[in-house]
Amino acid sequence: MHDDRNLVEGRLKRVLDERIRPAVYPESMPLDVAVWHAPGEPVPVAEGLAGAPEPIEVGARWGAPWGTSWFRVTGTVPQAWAGRTVEALLDLGFDENMPGFQCEGLVYRPDGTPVKGLNPRNQWVRIGAPVEGGEEVRLHIEAASNPVILDYHPFLPTQLGDKETAGSEPQYTLTRMDLAVFDETVWQLVIDLEVLGELMAELPVESARRWEILRAVEKALDAIDLQDVGGTAAQARARLETVLSEPAVPSAHRISAVGHAHIDSAWLWPLRETVRKVARTTANMTALIEDEPEFVFAMSQAQQWAWVKEYRPEVWARVKKAVADGRFVPAGGMWVESDTNMPGSEAMARQFVHGKRFFLDEFGIENDEAWLPDTFGFAAGLPQIIKAAGSKWLLTQKISWSQTNKFPHHTFQWEGIDGTRIFTHFPPVDTYNCSMKGSEIAHAARNFKDKGVARHSLAPTGWGDGGGGTTREMVAKAARLRNLEGSAIVEWETPGEFFAKAETEFPNAPVWVGELYLELHRATLTSQAKTKQGNRRSEHLLREAELWAATAAVRTGLPYPYEELDRIWKTVLLHQFHDILPGSSIAWVHREARATYDRLAAELNDIIDAAQHALTGEGTTEFVFNSAPHSREGVPAGGARTPEPVGETALAPRLTGGFTLDNGLLRVEIDATGLVVSAYDIDADRETVAPGHAANLLQLHPDFPNMWDAWDVDEFYRNTVTALTGVDEITAGEDGESVRIVRSFGGSRVTQVLSLAPGERRLEIATEVDWHETEKFLKLAFPLDVHAERYASETQFGHFHRPTHTNTSWEAAKFEACNHRFVHVAEPGWGVAIVNDSTYGHDVTRSVRDTDSGTTTTVRVSLLRAPRFPDPETDQGVHRFRHALVPGAGIGDAVREGWRINLPERRVTGARDVAPLVSVDRDAVVVSAVKLADDGSGDVVVRFHEAHGGRARATLTVGFACASVTVTDLLERPLAETAPPQLDGDRVAVRLRPFELVTLRFVRAQ
């Protein structure tokens, strides 16, 4: 037989595009349209419905950037359409290629009842099926004219990302506002032909099945009268029945389709717009659930559910019903789909606490899975946190974006730093916006790396980010793929149903140990420095507020601020969303974030101040409060007293220019250009700075990645570097114990103050940058005379080691990585820590010197970037950072100094010391939270972990009368499988494995 595939396939495409799809709506008539443009920000629904609209014609421009327009469409169903299905087709000016990134609408009835969302791939509203004829149609559309930020030529700088700079030029053209007859038989024919055509294209040319489909499609096309598609559609469908009814082979890959709409809680739109995106999508999905009995939809991010409850109660009622029916499924158990690299230990724990508690309180549902399809890599401490929250599974997708190495598994056990393993799935469909295309389904089956031992994968199905979620077309395609020869088997299932099957099927899944590093989007560790600083400082202020408020409540009866702390935690957690904290959102988002962090800091400082004054009482003696988990200057951890005197630091000029700082433990030489040429550990009798190098070296790189400007830094940035050694001035500080250095470069200015802490091996570096560069990357370098094949960086509830070498492509790809409060490099017996108060990105490299064959290990801290998309003014302005170089540091010193720099002492006048509410007798055991139980019982909750990476025995002492103690999960619920610890008066003995996390709940004696 002649090979006529191209002929038939070309015919199928043209007939579908030009004849069959247009025949889905064979008759139509225009609706009358009027519009009212809301002034300023969005208005309540009642106000929008009551607005005074003016006529507008199809073809007219509408919608200033970030505006809201209320359209009213009216008309009458013709009597001639009686007995037929009628829909309204409402095209606001959509581009079907950009679902989720442009204008959107939510349709209401005149009484304010929401109907469904309007999106580029979902423009219809059902009027009647069938209609009687003569029905009056009146609909209202709340239309958001969100500008297109990520256009066909992406990553171009734009002022549209903030309403303050976006202007007022209309963004869209009203395209279609019609009533139309919907021919379901033709629509079903379209789905038949799409499914078969897409499947056919994925089958091998030599496959008999491909030719069977080709011949069946050809016969169906022959049956269609192109001048009467509606009249011949049923006949065409009949010719496809045989090929559509052939069952899948027994070994076919099985896909659990989960209705899904990944909605970024902020990104190319502000937070307030996400509230409306979620309302549109949930209205869409509850409507689809009513129409499609097998469809199941899952939505993550408890914050988004809370928004629906608060702002759209009429949609919330529909959501609650669908949840009760088991069709609308809470997923993930987190407050938002957060970044997981940068959030601190407690914050990562609280993502699960607040997320899971919301779903438990509202629906009595507990999530067993963490759902993070779009997060930019996963910290190695996360498995233990997932387990401690009472969950056991993880889903992610983003690892498929890695540039260099292909991840070797799709279903695996992920092992964290403490040994906890979490059953993890990475969908082989390689998208979290699956649309049930044949190419997607075939790719999932081909791509699945666990063939032979497993057969199940998951496909998150639906348009996200305001694209409206799953469509009826996707559901129809899935129905045909449920058991179709040549295809994977597709079935709608909940995430829990999928994971239960997959785990049972694959009990011996392979193990991946350590972080799930995304080989992309590395610059998100640095972009938008003030957002990152706001997060770090909020986390530590919350620690202080909980600690001192709990102490004051127990000791003085001061009311504990439950509601305030709950609200503030949720706000901080929201801003850890994976496009806010990483710095990849529009200017509007980060402008608001900065203001929010300032407001939260003021509130938290008020809580702290009130508690500390209640504890010390009225008096004139100055007390130092120590919020850190280690004692310092004689002040116990979690206590307050008058500090003990410490030594002094001597400052002297150098003969060759510059200064020497010496406190008897560390001698630091600062040359005439302000560089640290020596940091000598006197006790260890060794130098910190590598020979021939200088530390505290600012380095400037060009920074213009190939794409994803705010997200990416490409490795070639290292090819060009400028050392900022020019100095405007170097002087002794006013305190006589520090050195002040000023530099200028480009349009920017840097002021640094270097000081040597008395009695400590710690060189403190305060850096102020007035930053006015564009597409540049600023680093702070510390070349260390340390031979280290690996280094440690802090992560949640511990630290993680990475190699300093680049033996393989896996190590080479980690040229920018994340740390929390410290990076530590060491050789046996001696090490160095670099600690920080607000930076995350860093790199560590090693080289061998020609002069002495010694190894130089260089740690570089990432300070600032200047990408122009999506915020063209990223990081312009003044920034302040604090770092410290700690020679002779072991891991314990790195942990202690990291806490110290993030929790500076507070001085309060009063009348009495404050004894710690909780104390631990081993530095390796770090208390991360002291608080009152969330249920208002007055119980004291203490969370701690082993921080040095070894086994630890410790005694925990409480400073209050205690009746009993229980080991709990993160939600403060008793762990039935764990024996309660023995309470010996006010003491509890604990044994911890490396990095083990424990939460204890103490019931106070009455």
Side-chain angles (χ1 to χ4, degrees), residues 459-476:
T461 302
W463 301 117
D465 285 331
T470 317
T471 65
R472 62 183 177 183
E473 287 80 11
M474 297 175 195
V475 176

Side-chain angles (χ1 to χ4, degrees), residues 223-246:
I224 296 172
D225 181 344
L226 298 184
Q227 278 66 52
D228 184 16
V229 174
T232 54
Q235 183 179 345
R237 291 199 71 204
R239 297 189 178 187
L240 299 173
E241 287 179 358
T242 300
V243 288
L244 283 169
S245 62
E246 291 293 334

